[in-house]
Amino acid sequence: MFYWEKDSLARLLSENAYPGRGIVLGCTPSGDKSAVAYFIMGRSENSRNRIFSATDDGIRTEAFDPSKMVDPSLIIYHPVRKIDNKLIVTNGDQTDTIRDHIAAGSTFENALDTRCFEPDAPNYTPRISGIITYEDGSFGYKLSILKSADPSGSACSRYTYSYAPEKGAGHFIHTYKCDGNPIPSFEGEPEKVAIPEDIEEFANLVWENLNNDNKVSLYICYTDCKTGEQDVRIINKH
């Protein structure tokens, strides 16, 4: 398919048993709202023992059963945080790094220059991040991935992609190319996908096409670009 053509998010998800954690940022067909999806998956009992809970400025991950939590590092964090006219979405505690840099007058890119992939050899899980900036009734968004440059984790490769909103389109990035041992990192540019107008349709599309054994939680947010009003859905398997 050509670069500018939109792929089916349902197909990309249903044909991949383990994309890991994923971010979709985009625009509804009317052009009136931004669309955000963030999901987490898990293969271990510790990773699956999680839920999303709402916070004042976004969401955080929590243990579904605290008595079964083994190691909270890398799995307990704020995936979504809002600051000023920006919404930050990531798969780790770099959400707070980005938020702190922006609060200090710095940038998304500068914040991520201080971070790298996760220290979970041999997978070296990539850190994926997104940010939406709302201004004058419109918005733009960026996606980033920080991944190991080699099998030994000796260096970090950083990629950032910047997008203007396109009606009915979004971009999807995820941590893993597919399942495996070790798990191969995402490759290439974020995948261009179709975004529906209805938030319920979008939430159902993502949740129903994630692998049933591995899916854990899903966050969906539509934001009115002119009013800033948010419509949010959170789905937890537990």
Side-chain angles (χ1 to χ4, degrees):
M1 69 188 297
F2 289 104
Y3 169 80
W4 54 81
E5 293 181 320
K6 298 188 288 287
D7 207 335
S8 163
L9 182 58
R11 184 189 67 79
L12 292 172
L13 293 174
S14 64
E15 294 180 357
N16 189 347
Y18 201 61
R21 287 163 277 176
I23 298 172
V24 182
L25 302 182
C27 184
T28 59
S30 66
D32 295 333
K33 298 175 181 178
S34 67
V36 175
Y38 177 67
F39 64 80
I40 58 174
M41 306 180 80
R43 300 191 304 177
S44 69
E45 182 179 9
N46 198 43
S47 291
R48 292 176 175 179
N49 181 36
R50 290 184 291 173
I51 59 171
F52 285 165
S53 62
T55 64
D56 290 341
D57 64 348
I59 58 171
R60 66 169 288 120
T61 59
E62 294 183 353
F64 171 67
D65 183 347
S67 69
K68 294 182 179 180
M69 178 60 64
V70 178
D71 180 6
S73 66
L74 302 180
I75 64 171
I76 301 299
Y77 55 93
H78 290 87
V80 178
R81 300 197 76 169
K82 186 177 185 296
I83 177 171
D84 300 328
N85 65 331
K86 295 174 172 56
L87 187 70
I88 305 161
V89 188
T90 90
N91 72 323
D93 62 10
Q94 73 267 27
T95 311
D96 294 342
T97 303
I98 297 167
R99 182 183 183 278
D100 292 346
H101 272 71
I102 289 172
S106 188
T107 65
F108 178 71
E109 291 86 350
N110 286 346
L112 290 171
D113 280 343
T114 70
R115 304 301 302 269
C116 67
F117 49 85
E118 295 181 359
D120 60 340
N123 297 319
Y124 298 115
T125 298
R127 290 189 188 273
I128 55 172
S129 306
I131 188 167
I132 302 180
T133 300
Y134 301 92
E135 192 169 7
D136 298 327
S138 187
F139 68 97
Y141 60 94
K142 297 179 180 181
L143 287 167
S144 166
I145 184 167
L146 313 179
K147 53 196 268 188
S148 180
D150 57 44
S152 64
S154 67
C156 182
S157 297
R158 295 177 170 85
Y159 304 89
T160 301
Y161 305 88
S162 182
Y163 302 97
E166 178 185 343
K167 292 181 178 180
H171 291 87
F172 174 36
I173 194 167
H174 39 101
T175 52
Y176 305 126
K177 179 181 177 180
C178 58
D179 205 350
N181 189 23
I183 319 174
S185 295
F186 178 87
E187 294 180 355
E189 296 183 18
E191 297 154 326
K192 190 173 184 179
V193 295
I195 303 291
E197 188 69 38
D198 183 70
I199 189 172
E200 296 290 352
E201 180 183 351
F202 191 37
N204 290 335
L205 181 156
V206 177
W207 187 249
E208 291 174 3
N209 285 284
L210 288 169
N211 180 272
N212 192 57
D213 292 331
N214 296 324
K215 66 184 179 183
V216 175
S217 295
L218 170 67
Y219 166 89
I220 300 285
C221 178
Y222 276 25
T223 302
D224 188 297
C225 302
K226 294 182 179 179
T227 67
E229 182 179 356
Q230 289 187 330
D231 192 5
V232 173
R233 301 290 185 276
I234 295 175
I235 303 175
N236 292 306
K237 189 171 184 178
H238 289 302

